[in-house]
Amino acid sequence: DLTGLESMDQCRRTLEQHNWNIEVKSHDKAAAVQDRLNEQEGVPSVFNPPPSRPLQVNTADHRVYSYIVSRPQPRGLLGWGYYLIMLPFRVTYYTLLDIFRLALRFIRPDPRARVTDPVGDVVSFIHSFEEKYGRSHPVFYQGTYSQALNDAKRELRYLLVYLHGDDHQDTDEFCRSTLCTEEVITFLNTRMLFWVCSTSKPEGYRVSQALRENTYPFLAMIMLKDRKMTVVGRLEGVIQPEDLINQLTFIMDANQTYLMSERLEREERNQTQVLRQQQDEAYLASLRADQEKERKKRAEMEQRKREEEKVRQSALAEEIRRRTLEEEKERKSECLPPEPPADDPESVKIVFKLPNDTRVERRFLFGQSLTVIHDFLFSLKETPEKFQIVTNFPRRVLPCLPTEEQSNPPTLKEAGLSRSEVLFVQDLTDD
């Protein structure tokens, strides 16, 4: 419901990475949800291994504001007496501890130098912090240090980093009396991102090596300055809530102009990008319009060419058909039998009335087939391409051409023609 995921398998994998504590530990749910939302926003997953290159944070800026609170000096005779008595033991303890740590580092490399589960380190510290100090604390960023830097850079917000020294004598007082007070919680939640981790965790140790704190509690204010994530303030030592708010406010006010400048530059870049995108879209729209116009022009030319080719082919086909018809007429004319003389007793005089009201007269023999009459008319230029011969009374069509029922047309005598006939030529071309 929170992330919009529809795949139950993907939801299950995400919850398994956060130990299924969604109902018991609300921060596990927040971590699972935030990890998924980071992936949707294009931020690398917190479960990916950390980059091998150094953290890209500028810590060498000479304008870094530093606020170091030293421990209060002993007061009175009793205080100085206790201090002087404990001084040899304290010096001996810390000296032996440093020697032991140095020797141990030569014998066995520090296991914190290898970060394998950065988000697990952060979430584990948050759980231990809540078990010891309660859940009333500022909102801790549940992700890696690199992700916190990315979010602060993308959102142009301040990032406050707190490195927790488990063994330091001032850590407990700072967490109870300063970090978990209502005014500090309200101030941090409304003004900045807050990332925390213990230096005993590999992820916290890695950040400690990058920021190089001197004492604890340690706070570092980081922001985007001159297009680089830069440490602009360092607070070291135990500090009271009011002083902490005042010091952070001073750092923010001193660097507000840089943040505003970055916002203006980003807005200008965004506007320039939007303008360039609009210009590109206008150019693409114009290009598409030109291409569409050119396409239509080519289509019209191709259509015109097709129509011209169709007309040319039709004219060519008509010319071939006409020539073929003329050749066929000429061939039929050459194959006609000679016209019999008028005094031949077997001759038949036929007058043909053509569709154009032209009259044609010719003699045939009774014994000749009706096909001869058809061939004679076909050979005339005035005769249509398709026609039939019809008697006047009684009206009937003469079977001049072979059919499936009658392969050999009848003769003139068999057709019942007399010695003098008038026949009509009926045009069938339209039909």
Side-chain angles (χ1 to χ4, degrees):
D1 290 339
L2 291 173
T3 63
L5 286 174
E6 296 182 356
S7 172
M8 296 302 294
D9 293 337
Q10 192 170 359
C11 289
R12 186 177 295 106
R13 286 195 300 269
T14 303
L15 290 172
E16 287 175 351
Q17 290 170 338
H18 293 274
N19 299 323
W20 287 89
N21 290 331
I22 190 167
E23 295 182 357
V24 178
K25 299 290 186 179
S26 61
H27 287 288
D28 281 334
K29 178 178 69 174
V33 171
Q34 183 170 343
D35 179 47
R36 177 57 189 170
L37 295 178
N38 284 337
E39 291 180 3
Q40 293 175 349
E41 294 174 0
V43 181
S45 173
V46 295
F47 292 99
N48 292 339
S52 57
R53 59 183 177 83
L55 297 174
Q56 299 299 313
V57 178
N58 182 16
T59 60
D61 195 332
H62 65 279
R63 292 167 291 182
V64 174
Y65 175 81
S66 296
Y67 180 81
I68 303 176
V69 182
S70 59
R71 289 189 59 79
Q73 298 295 327
R75 294 180 180 180
L77 183 61
L78 183 61
W80 277 103
Y82 177 78
Y83 176 78
L84 292 176
I85 293 173
M86 296 300 298
L87 181 61
F89 297 98
R90 187 180 296 110
V91 171
T92 302
Y93 170 76
Y94 284 111
T95 302
L96 293 176
L97 182 61
D98 291 339
I99 294 174
F100 174 75
R101 289 175 176 174
L102 181 63
L104 188 61
R105 185 176 301 178
F106 280 105
I107 298 173
R108 183 173 61 89
D110 195 332
R112 299 177 298 173
R114 185 179 180 182
V115 182
T116 57
D117 184 15
V119 70
D121 295 341
V122 175
V123 173
S124 175
F125 168 71
I126 293 174
H127 290 169
S128 62
F129 185 94
E130 291 178 346
E131 291 176 357
K132 187 172 183 180
Y133 302 107
R135 298 198 176 197
S136 179
H137 57 74
V139 175
F140 296 149
Y141 184 96
Q142 299 209 15
T144 65
Y145 176 62
S146 299
Q147 276 195 313
L149 290 175
N150 289 332
D151 285 350
K153 181 178 181 179
R154 184 179 64 255
E155 300 173 12
L156 289 179
R157 298 181 63 184
Y158 293 100
L159 172 64
L160 183 63
V161 175
Y162 168 60
L163 294 179
H164 184 85
D166 295 325
D167 299 330
H168 198 273
Q169 55 189 351
D170 294 331
T171 296
D172 188 71
E173 179 184 352
F174 173 76
C175 292
R176 295 186 185 278
S177 303
T178 301
L179 194 57
C180 294
T181 58
E182 188 64 31
E183 57 268 33
V184 172
I185 293 174
T186 303
F187 180 82
L188 296 183
N189 289 347
T190 57
R191 294 295 196 85
M192 63 197 68
L193 298 177
F194 190 34
W195 186 87
V196 298
C197 195
S198 171
T199 55
S200 62
K201 304 290 185 181
E203 176 71 354
Y205 178 75
R206 181 170 70 106
V207 178
S208 172
Q209 294 297 303
L211 300 181
R212 298 189 179 280
E213 72 280 7
N214 296 311
T215 185
Y216 300 97
F218 173 77
L219 296 166
M221 181 75 85
I222 303 175
M223 60 170 287
L224 184 63
K225 183 177 180 181
D226 299 329
R227 299 189 178 182
K228 295 183 293 184
M229 295 303 290
T230 305
V231 176
V232 295
R234 298 166 65 93
L235 305 179
E236 299 179 88
V238 66
I239 183 172
Q240 298 303 313
E242 184 178 355
D243 290 338
L244 175 61
I245 294 175
N246 291 337
Q247 296 303 322
L248 292 178
T249 303
F250 178 81
I251 295 173
M252 294 171 65
D253 292 341
N255 293 276
Q256 189 66 24
T257 55
Y258 296 103
L259 203 59
M260 293 178 62
S261 176
E262 290 289 347
R263 287 172 179 163
L264 289 176
E265 288 184 9
R266 180 172 294 184
E267 183 65 25
E268 290 177 359
R269 288 196 298 269
N270 292 338
Q271 292 179 357
T272 302
Q273 184 177 1
V274 170
L275 179 60
R276 185 180 296 111
Q277 183 178 359
Q278 293 175 349
Q279 292 174 346
D280 292 342
E281 291 176 354
Y283 170 76
L284 290 176
S286 176
L287 180 62
R288 284 192 293 267
D290 293 342
Q291 291 175 345
E292 181 65 17
K293 188 183 299 182
E294 184 66 21
R295 186 192 65 79
K296 290 183 178 180
K297 184 177 179 180
R298 287 197 304 268
E300 291 175 357
M301 291 180 62
E302 292 176 358
Q303 180 66 20
R304 187 162 55 250
K305 287 181 180 180
R306 286 193 297 268
E307 292 176 354
E308 293 175 353
E309 180 65 18
K310 185 177 180 180
V311 171
R312 190 183 69 82
Q313 293 292 339
S314 178
L316 180 60
E318 179 63 24
E319 178 65 19
I320 294 174
R321 189 195 62 80
R322 186 184 61 79
R323 289 182 181 180
T324 303
L325 182 61
E326 290 179 355
E327 293 174 357
E328 183 67 15
K329 285 178 177 291
E330 185 177 355
R331 188 182 64 81
K332 293 287 186 181
S333 177
E334 292 175 354
C335 294
L336 287 174
E339 184 178 6
D343 56 353
D344 190 333
E346 294 294 323
S347 66
V348 179
K349 178 184 176 182
I350 301 177
V351 177
F352 299 98
K353 286 189 175 182
L354 302 180
N356 58 359
D357 295 332
T358 304
R359 297 171 67 93
V360 178
E361 181 180 327
R362 193 183 188 280
R363 290 185 299 276
F364 300 90
L365 296 175
F366 274 115
Q368 290 177 341
S369 172
L370 291 177
T371 304
V372 177
I373 299 177
H374 186 276
D375 291 345
F376 166 73
L377 292 173
F378 182 79
S379 64
L380 299 178
K381 293 183 178 181
E382 300 85 356
T383 308
E385 183 177 352
K386 295 180 180 181
F387 61 91
Q388 65 182 7
I389 304 172
V390 182
T391 62
N392 187 20
F393 187 80
R395 181 178 176 80
R396 59 192 176 93
V397 178
L398 297 179
C400 299
L401 297 176
T403 62
E404 294 181 359
E405 295 81 6
Q406 190 175 13
S407 59
N408 295 318
T411 62
L412 275 64
K413 187 175 183 178
E414 292 173 347
L417 299 181
S418 60
R419 287 183 60 85
S420 180
E421 289 284 349
V422 177
L423 301 178
F424 297 86
V425 178
Q426 188 176 3
D427 188 0
L428 299 179
T429 304
D430 294 339
D431 297 339

